[in-house]
Amino acid sequence: MTETAILPLHALAHGRAGDKGDRLNISIIAFDPADYLLLSEQVTPERVAAVFADRAPTSVQRYELPRLAAFNFVLDGVLEGGVNRSLNLDSHGKTLSYRLLGLSIEVPAGRLAEIRQANER
Amino acid sequence: MTKDFLIACGAGFSGDRTDVAAPLVEALVADGRPAALFFESLGERTLALAHIRRSEAADAGYEPLLAEMLAPVLGRCLEAGIPIVGNFGAANPPAAARLVATLAASAGHPDARIATLAGDEVSMLADRAGFDALGIDRSPRGARHLAANAYLGARPIAEALSQGAQVVVTGRVADPALALGPLVHHFGWSWEDWDRIAAGTLVGHLLECGAQVTGGYFADPGLKEVPGLERLGFPIAEVRADGRAVITKPPGSGGLVSPATVKEQLLYEIHDPAAYLTPDVVLDLTEVSVETAGADRVAVSGARGRPRPERLKVTVSVDGGWLGEGEISYAGPNAEARARLALGVLRKRCRGVERLRGDLIGIGSVFADEAGSYLADRHGSGAAAWPSGTGGFADVRLRVAVETTTREAAESALREVEALLCCGPAAGGGARGALRRRINTWSALAPRAPIEARVEVTLASAAELAGPAAAEAVDD
């Protein structure tokens, strides 16, 4: 059995949140396209829905963009009515990309060493 | 072969930096190829705010920073033949055009040709015939209806430019249309050459948020470094006749243009990447490629287009009552418990509110010093001053937000926050309150034809436009 380590998604990918009405989108873009498959296995719509469970999304859709080594997640009903209705301090939901980037990702131990090396360079 | 065209974005939202357009214009002038500059300063929130301002004063309701945005570049653009396009007209394009005219006249260009776009506001049509007759598929329930704005496309912008407009003032148009209009005008692309219209829309989409493609909203220390964030260069696209483009920024400016910055913006506010709906085209991003093409240069290609949608997006603004926001801080031992107690008191005391929300915020504020040494040393000597187990470093700011129907109810809630200073838990401090009128918005889809039939482009010289404005100022 391969040894694995747990990393936050933040170490493997970057992303940005955008809003339109009560719909939130979050892009998740692999720093290294080699991680695309790993991310596609672990950053599933079900796990993303679980991250935002307290906001009870009415739907979570994942769009795959292999050419960009990226995913686009679209969540409905999580912005408390949208920017003109929400009572949230961040009524756009702009900070929410980093909520998703906190997701735990299991990586092979060998991959962890490579990432550490890359970060040191 | 038609020459390349350069298009630059001088603002990505209402409230953006106003010292960024001048370096863009200098870069465009130095380059020498045909160019245009656009400003994007209208969102769902800012349009709603603009409607509030216009309802309070007939000559208000356009971009509040318009003069600060345009004054540094208007004269230079008029002299260099660089058209300016902006949705800074917001809820009142004619009033914005009069201000632009005044600025142009005072910069020595009374002959500047200024186009004003009308017809995005469909409120009158909606009032007369009702939402159903307009074909809007959703209508707000119960709330007072203030305005409805359709997202227009790039055609009237291109039309204004072909009539010789040097500044085009719009209200609600789809953001990418601000770039697509000048591109179609320059290249003479057919409106049904869907891949070209898609390419121009993609360029507009990448640029429309200004610095968000040149290293703004991207930096994450240790992972995503951006040099010179305090002097970010805003974006320029060098577009070829076939629609391929290079995204870059002014030489010597701060910021970063990399495949990563471009990808983040590419997917920003996108839902289905295979079908990004705009008034001009359905854009498919799934085959877009993003490649480094030199330092701070990224080549973008592969946009594909399908015929434009039958219906236009309409944003309906309705009275949203009032938003009251109040805050107070608790710090040191048992801070969280005191803040939670205060929130409980507010929940019982704030009557007559539709909704109330409470947040507990904080790392270090009320105990911190102006020089910043408390925050710098959070885990150092300061920590030793607190016996373990007291939660001594807690620094909790309680925030409550209320939605109310009346101004009085919101004011009453804010007084309850202030009253915590004497009547709440121990040692609350720094109470603040803010009150705002609110407009809620709904998005809907409406048939294109009745809206487009009312779109008008009006062209006038600065002297013609500034005259009436001056007379009105005297009347006021």
Side-chain angles (χ1 to χ4, degrees), chain B residues 460-471:
Chain B
S461 73
E464 287 168 317
L465 284 169

Side-chain angles (χ1 to χ4, degrees), chain B residues 178-448:
Chain B
L178 299 167
L180 180 62
L183 290 168
V184 171
H185 168 64
H186 175 78
F187 290 119
W189 290 335
S190 156
W191 289 105
E192 289 173 1
D193 185 348
W194 303 115
D195 285 348
R196 237 56 58 200
I197 299 301
T201 299
L202 173 59
V203 166
H205 172 66
L206 289 173
L207 265 57
E208 75 187 40
C209 294
Q212 279 196 185
V213 73
T214 54
Y217 215 62
F218 181 82
D220 189 347
L223 272 174
K224 298 191 292 175
E225 304 289 351
V226 177
L229 204 51
E230 73 291 349
R231 50 183 188 87
L232 280 174
F234 270 49
I236 300 170
E238 302 171 0
V239 188
R240 293 167 35 151
D242 64 5
R244 284 191 282 173
V246 168
I247 309 296
T248 186
K249 63 188 186 69
S253 60
L256 172 72
V257 182
S258 72
T261 70
V262 172
K263 285 181 188 178
E264 278 199 18
Q265 185 56 26
L266 182 67
L267 295 176
Y268 179 67
E269 290 185 343
I270 293 292
H271 301 151
D272 179 355
Y276 179 43
L277 305 181
T278 79
D280 297 302
V281 68
V282 176
L283 169 60
D284 178 352
L285 299 169
T286 53
E287 294 300 316
V288 167
S289 75
V290 170
E291 307 284 345
T292 302
D296 288 316
R297 292 175 64 81
V298 170
V300 178
S301 61
R304 292 183 305 185
R306 295 198 301 278
R308 63 187 202 175
E310 289 298 312
R311 290 154 83 84
L312 294 177
K313 180 176 168 182
V314 172
T315 295
V316 183
S317 304
V318 297
D319 191 347
W322 293 81
L323 170 69
E325 293 179 284
E327 300 180 2
I328 186 167
S329 287
Y330 298 89
N334 222 20
E336 183 184 334
R338 286 178 287 132
R340 285 183 187 273
L341 175 58
L343 178 56
V345 169
L346 291 176
R347 286 195 191 280
K348 287 177 188 143
R349 297 277 312 177
C350 291
R351 298 197 187 90
V353 303
E354 306 296 314
R355 295 153 72 202
L356 182 148
R357 171 202 177 94
D359 296 304
L360 300 176
I361 305 166
I363 286 183
S365 61
V366 285
F367 283 178
D369 56 305
E370 194 171 318
S373 50
Y374 177 95
L375 284 176
D377 197 25
R378 233 179 106 227
H379 302 288
S381 59
W386 296 102
S388 64
T390 61
F393 265 82
D395 184 325
V396 180
R397 187 143 181 91
L398 167 63
R399 166 188 181 262
V400 291
V402 295
E403 179 185 277
T404 66
T405 309
T406 64
R407 183 185 180 113
E408 291 70 27
E411 283 172 340
S412 165
L414 293 183
R415 278 198 304 276
E416 289 297 339
V417 176
E418 198 172 358
L420 292 172
L421 285 174
C422 286
C423 306
R432 296 282 189 284
L435 182 67
R436 267 183 290 161
R437 202 181 141 197
R438 269 202 140 181
I439 291 189
N440 294 340
T441 51
W442 277 261
S443 286
L445 296 172
R448 182 182 282 272

Side-chain angles (χ1 to χ4, degrees), chain B residues 37-266:
Chain B
L37 173 67
F38 78 91
F39 293 88
E40 197 293 292
S41 57
L42 196 55
E44 289 177 3
R45 179 187 61 98
T46 38
L47 182 58
L49 295 174
H51 278 299
I52 291 179
R53 285 195 301 271
R54 195 187 68 179
S55 72
E56 290 164 356
D59 210 35
Y62 56 86
E63 166 56 43
L65 287 175
L66 179 54
E68 289 84 346
M69 263 182 196
L70 280 193
V73 295
L74 182 57
R76 187 84 164 125
C77 285
L78 291 170
E79 285 146 27
I82 297 172
I84 295 174
V85 182
N87 56 13
F88 34 60
N92 199 347
R98 288 195 291 273
L99 176 57
V100 174
T102 307
L103 294 169
S106 63
H109 296 279
D111 55 344
R113 282 158 295 170
I114 298 162
T116 310
L117 223 76
D120 63 298
E121 190 167 337
V122 292
S123 317
M124 282 72 76
L125 193 60
D127 277 345
R128 194 170 64 236
F131 285 105
D132 293 342
L134 185 63
I136 286 179
D137 57 359
R138 296 169 68 194
S139 58
R141 296 151 296 271
R144 192 161 60 96
H145 159 227
L146 299 169
N149 291 78
Y151 283 72
L152 303 181
R155 283 195 197 205
I157 296 170
E159 186 188 317
L161 294 169
S162 68
Q163 289 174 22
Q166 293 168 291
V167 181
V168 183
V169 181
T170 83
R172 182 72 278 171
V173 297
D175 296 347
L178 299 167
L180 180 62
L183 290 168
V184 171
H185 168 64
H186 175 78
F187 290 119
W189 290 335
S190 156
W191 289 105
E192 289 173 1
D193 185 348
W194 303 115
D195 285 348
R196 237 56 58 200
I197 299 301
T201 299
L202 173 59
V203 166
H205 172 66
L206 289 173
L207 265 57
E208 75 187 40
C209 294
Q212 279 196 185
V213 73
T214 54
Y217 215 62
F218 181 82
D220 189 347
L223 272 174
K224 298 191 292 175
E225 304 289 351
V226 177
L229 204 51
E230 73 291 349
R231 50 183 188 87
L232 280 174
F234 270 49
I236 300 170
E238 302 171 0
V239 188
R240 293 167 35 151
D242 64 5
R244 284 191 282 173
V246 168
I247 309 296
T248 186
K249 63 188 186 69
S253 60
L256 172 72
V257 182
S258 72
T261 70
V262 172
K263 285 181 188 178
E264 278 199 18
Q265 185 56 26
L266 182 67

